[in-house]
Amino acid sequence: MTGKDVPALEEAAGGIPQGTRINITFLAGEDPGMRLAAARAVKRLGFVPVPHISARRLPSRAHLEEFLAGLAADGTGENVFVVGGDPARPEGPYEDALAVIRTGLLQHHGVRHIGISGYPEGHPAIADRALWSALTDKTAALGAERLSGDVITQFGFDVDPVLTWLEAARARGVRLPVRIGVPGPAGVRRLLGYATRFGVASSASVARKYGFSLTNLMGTTGPDRFLHALARGYDPARHGVVKVHFYTFGGLRATSEWITTFRQGHAQA
């Protein structure tokens, strides 16, 4: 969710299991007060807030400390997700997520669990070698600080690169649980827009596997086929602990209702 999505979360709350982890984005147009208010709302409704910290959007160390202190005061800062962020150049002293983790400020303000990012299909602006180095370095930093963590991946439409990436991550010593990014149900045009923005493969063959057509952009599609394919290909011995993380491109309520329906159908199968 974003800081502006509190009303949408309140509307969807009845269909979301208590204790669900809900990530709160760190967008350029939202101030710290809005993010803190969103985290408080998540907690009030019975969920686990996971505020994002965007390293390159932090203008100063003081700004980071103020945000963390606010989370700690509200009891919403035990779980955070730290990411480099979109700006090509840092707006302050932090080049990447690792730089934030290494400050020691997170644990000083009561953070106990840190999420980090993973990119099964790569990143349009970062070389694969740098992505792997960042992942292993952040994993090592969490271990050295005795912090728990997990990896949340960029979403995708094709299971094959996800499973290949998982196996490669385990071979590199990454033992953290991995939450595979899954797009909630949304309009095809919107999904393709996000895919273009984040460098996600959306060729005709990939689209057919996922369940939509590039020639019909007016429909809505969900990740049914993707999740079934992930379950079929998953091998705990090779892929480790794997969960899912839903990107609510089509809205919080639509995603929560889709998940409930999918679970019910799977339980009856």
Side-chain angles (χ1 to χ4, degrees), residues 224 228 231-232 260-269:
D224 312 58
H228 284 301
R232 287 194 301 270
T260 298
T261 301
F262 182 83
R263 279 177 165 161
Q264 290 172 345
H266 189 266
Q268 295 168 3

Side-chain angles (χ1 to χ4, degrees), residues 1 4 10 23 71 76 85 115 121 135 169 250 253:
M1 64 177 288
K4 299 176 182 177
E10 291 173 336
N23 286 40
L71 293 173
T76 56
E121 295 186 28
L135 180 61
R253 182 172 180 176

Side-chain angles (χ1 to χ4, degrees), residues 10-28:
E10 291 173 336
E11 180 185 17
I16 304 174
Q18 293 285 285
T20 295
R21 299 168 64 84
I22 297 183
N23 286 40
I24 303 156
T25 56
F26 197 104
L27 298 180

Side-chain angles (χ1 to χ4, degrees), residues 97-103 107 114 116 134-148 176:
L98 183 60
V100 171
I101 294 170
R102 283 177 170 167
T103 63
Q107 50 271 51
I114 298 176
I116 57 178
L135 180 61
T136 55
D137 287 350
K138 286 182 285 188
T139 300
L142 295 183
E145 296 294 335
R146 298 184 179 180
L147 291 165
S148 65
L176 297 174

Side-chain angles (χ1 to χ4, degrees), residues 132 136 164-175 238:
W132 282 119
T136 55
T164 299
W165 179 90
L166 275 169
E167 198 162 356
R170 301 315 186 193
R172 286 172 165 83
V174 177
R175 297 287 176 256
R238 290 187 294 136

Side-chain angles (χ1 to χ4, degrees), residues 19-249:
T20 295
R21 299 168 64 84
I22 297 183
N23 286 40
I24 303 156
T25 56
F26 197 104
L27 298 180
E30 297 177 349
D31 61 32
M34 184 179 291
R35 300 180 190 116
L36 292 171
R40 289 194 297 270
V42 171
K43 181 181 179 182
R44 170 173 57 82
L45 292 168
F47 310 121
V48 176
V50 185
H52 287 200
I53 297 172
S54 179
R56 287 192 288 273
R57 291 196 187 281
L58 294 168
S60 67
R61 180 184 175 95
H63 188 96
L64 172 59
E65 290 187 281
E66 181 180 355
F67 183 56
L68 292 171
L71 293 173
D74 293 337
T76 56
E78 288 193 4
N79 300 265
V80 300
F81 178 78
V82 187
V83 66
D86 292 335
R89 294 184 177 181
E91 297 173 11
Y94 305 113
E95 175 70 26
D96 52 27
L98 183 60
V100 171
I101 294 170
R102 283 177 170 167
T103 63
L105 293 174
L106 301 179
Q107 50 271 51
H108 177 74
H109 285 87
V111 174
R112 298 291 176 262
H113 184 97
I114 298 176
I116 57 178
S117 55
Y119 299 90
E121 295 186 28
H123 188 288
I126 306 174
D128 285 348
R129 179 179 294 181
L131 289 174
W132 282 119
S133 178
L135 180 61
T136 55
D137 287 350
K138 286 182 285 188
T139 300
L142 295 183
E145 296 294 335
R146 298 184 179 180
L147 291 165
S148 65
D150 56 18
V151 181
I152 299 178
T153 74
Q154 180 59 272
F155 78 94
F157 301 130
D158 190 353
V159 165
D160 291 341
V162 171
L163 294 173
T164 299
W165 179 90
L166 275 169
E167 198 162 356
R170 301 315 186 193
R172 286 172 165 83
V174 177
R175 297 287 176 256
L176 297 174
V178 175
R179 296 177 181 269
I180 302 301
V182 177
V188 172
R189 188 183 298 275
R190 172 172 289 189
L191 288 174
L192 290 174
Y194 279 109
T196 300
R197 176 180 174 185
F198 296 118
V200 172
S202 56
S203 65
S205 60
V206 168
R208 283 195 299 271
K209 286 173 64 175
Y210 191 78
F212 64 84
S213 169
L214 296 183
T215 59
N216 179 14
L217 305 182
M218 302 305 295
T220 297
T221 188
D224 312 58
R225 294 187 184 183
F226 181 94
L227 288 174
H228 284 301
L230 181 64
R232 287 194 301 270
Y234 172 61
D235 178 357
R238 290 187 294 136
H239 302 131
V241 177
V242 174
K243 304 179 182 182
V244 295
H245 171 84
F246 283 93
Y247 289 91
T248 57
F249 297 141

